[in-house]
Amino acid sequence: MSVDIPVWLRPHVYRAWARAFHSNLEESALPLEEYASLRDFFVRTLKEGCRPINPNPYSLVSPVDGTILRFGKLNGAGAMIDQVKGFSYSVSSLLGASPLLSMLAEKNSEDDSSTIEQESTQREQSKKSWWRVSLASPKVRETISECPMKGLYYCVIYLKPGDYHRIHSPVDWNVLVRRHFSGRLFPVNERATRTIRNLYVENERVVLEGLWQQGFMAIVAVGATNIGSIELFIEPELRTNRPRKKLIPSEPPEEHLYEPKGVGVMLKKGDEVAAFNMGSTVVLVFQAPTSKSPKNNDASEFEFSIRRGDKIRVGEALGVWHA
């Protein structure tokens, strides 16, 4: 992917790629001759205005171009996400240990009087204390609205090789932590999702976790065959797809807490966040307004505006809610 292509050959290579994978070359920000390698072409930027961001302040937008695989509401941090019929994986196994999600889930629980005592190491206690300090920070607390009830939702979007491969911010939010799971690099196409159990949990992935005005927000960039390399624009020094890490796919994730503590990295809706070096998958897990009763048609409840199999582009609404 990174091998330089002779200038005279570049337009022919990229046009052949576009024909094979249905890429729109008219959106490319630069002339084809200026992309030195297939990798440069693959993570290319687009012309200004090609991906307008939905201006509705009560909308959550797609962070990528791709195909909607699955979406829905989750019953708590321990809920399962369907991969395909018969295959599912838990939110906790996808995200890793998430003190932030656990504490926000506890905060929204109606039974605050019941507590569960857990044994933890000194490191885990220290991390939990850090998250409590983060939540107590006025700058973070101000970003969370006073809506009394939050539901937990998810959305899985698959990127084909011909899709635009940069990841953008779906909302205004504060990124507080990053986790990198070395994992494997199985393909993530339709056939693979039907045959490989726990596919997204087994594969290499990068998790960004933080807070937005409605509570918890996480973006999971899942690697695949030929696409272990995931670039984070907010952390350029991060290196993924390292050969030594492939030898121990079950090793604990590498975690990085963004400075300043309690604020992290602030992103605006539509900001560039990361890029894949080939087709892959993005999973969103987030809190949003919900009603206490499924029979209560509350206008303020978050509602998805998509269907399974829909093609979606960066900036288009995944769902909306009302103040």
Side-chain angles (χ1 to χ4, degrees):
M1 290 286 287
S2 299
V3 173
D4 280 5
I5 299 172
V7 176
W8 66 268
L9 187 57
R10 292 172 189 173
H12 304 288
V13 172
Y14 303 147
R15 289 193 184 104
W17 177 280
R19 286 194 298 270
F21 297 109
H22 310 289
S23 299
N24 185 356
L25 296 182
E26 294 182 359
E27 294 181 334
S28 301
L30 302 175
L32 297 182
E33 294 83 357
E34 295 192 29
Y35 298 108
S37 66
L38 193 55
R39 178 205 164 277
D40 292 342
F41 170 73
F42 196 81
V43 298
R44 65 193 179 279
T45 57
L46 304 181
K47 292 177 181 176
E48 188 174 352
C50 283
R51 295 294 182 273
I53 306 301
N54 189 309
N56 183 354
Y58 304 110
S59 68
L60 182 144
V61 303
S62 177
V64 292
D65 283 16
T67 304
I68 303 295
L69 295 187
R70 290 185 177 270
F71 62 91
K73 190 174 180 180
L74 297 165
N75 295 318
M80 304 295 286
I81 298 176
D82 286 337
Q83 181 175 305
V84 292
K85 187 175 181 180
F87 286 4
S88 59
Y89 53 94
S90 68
V91 176
S92 57
S93 61
L94 178 71
L95 301 180
S98 176
L100 176 60
L101 179 56
S102 298
M103 281 187 284
L104 287 172
E106 289 174 9
K107 181 181 178 183
N108 288 324
S109 173
E110 294 182 343
D111 189 10
D112 292 331
S113 60
S114 64
T115 58
I116 302 174
E117 293 187 3
Q118 299 177 339
E119 294 184 0
S120 60
T121 62
Q122 185 62 37
R123 178 175 178 273
E124 288 172 333
Q125 290 175 342
S126 175
K127 284 170 60 180
K128 191 165 185 178
S129 298
W130 185 91
W131 283 112
R132 292 196 184 281
V133 171
S134 297
L135 289 172
S137 169
K139 291 185 179 180
V140 171
R141 192 170 61 245
E142 286 170 5
T143 67
I144 305 176
S145 70
E146 296 301 321
C147 180
M149 194 68 180
K150 307 285 178 172
L152 192 64
Y153 299 83
Y154 77 97
C155 183
V156 184
I157 308 172
Y158 171 62
L159 291 76
K160 295 180 180 179
D163 287 327
Y164 169 60
H165 269 71
R166 293 194 172 221
I167 305 172
H168 294 248
S169 176
V171 291
D172 295 348
W173 64 308
N174 295 63
V175 185
L176 299 175
V177 65
R178 180 267 301 157
R179 294 188 195 89
H180 171 223
F181 296 78
S182 54
R184 302 182 185 275
L185 288 175
F186 293 122
V188 293
N189 55 33
E190 186 178 354
R191 182 179 180 183
T193 60
R194 293 197 308 264
T195 57
I196 303 175
R197 188 179 296 274
N198 293 327
L199 176 59
Y200 300 142
V201 174
E202 290 286 340
N203 269 17
E204 180 167 19
R205 62 196 183 279
V206 172
V207 178
L208 294 178
E209 197 173 277
L211 295 168
W212 70 305
Q213 64 173 344
Q214 300 297 336
F216 178 81
M217 170 63 68
I219 298 179
V220 185
V222 184
T225 303
N226 297 328
I227 329 106
S229 181
I230 302 168
E231 299 178 48
L232 274 186
F233 301 137
I234 62 174
E235 190 184 344
E237 60 273 19
L238 175 66
R239 293 291 179 268
T240 63
N241 196 20
R242 291 183 174 182
R244 64 180 179 83
K245 292 196 172 186
K246 292 181 185 178
L247 300 176
I248 315 174
S250 60
E251 68 179 350
E254 175 198 1
E255 185 167 291
H256 176 71
L257 302 176
Y258 290 118
E259 297 289 343
K261 290 182 178 180
V263 177
V265 179
M266 291 184 286
L267 294 174
K268 293 293 185 183
K269 187 192 221 179
D271 284 353
E272 288 188 355
V273 181
F276 285 119
N277 280 339
M278 208 47 168
S280 196
T281 302
V282 165
V283 183
L284 289 179
V285 179
F286 58 95
Q287 285 186 306
T290 189
S291 60
K292 295 183 180 180
S293 170
K295 297 180 181 180
N296 182 16
N297 188 16
D298 189 348
S300 66
E301 182 174 13
F302 177 84
E303 290 185 359
F304 284 103
S305 53
I306 51 176
R307 293 178 297 181
R308 286 180 59 179
D310 280 355
K311 306 291 185 185
I312 196 157
R313 305 205 305 177
V314 169
E316 294 177 347
L318 291 174
V320 296
W321 71 101
H322 302 280

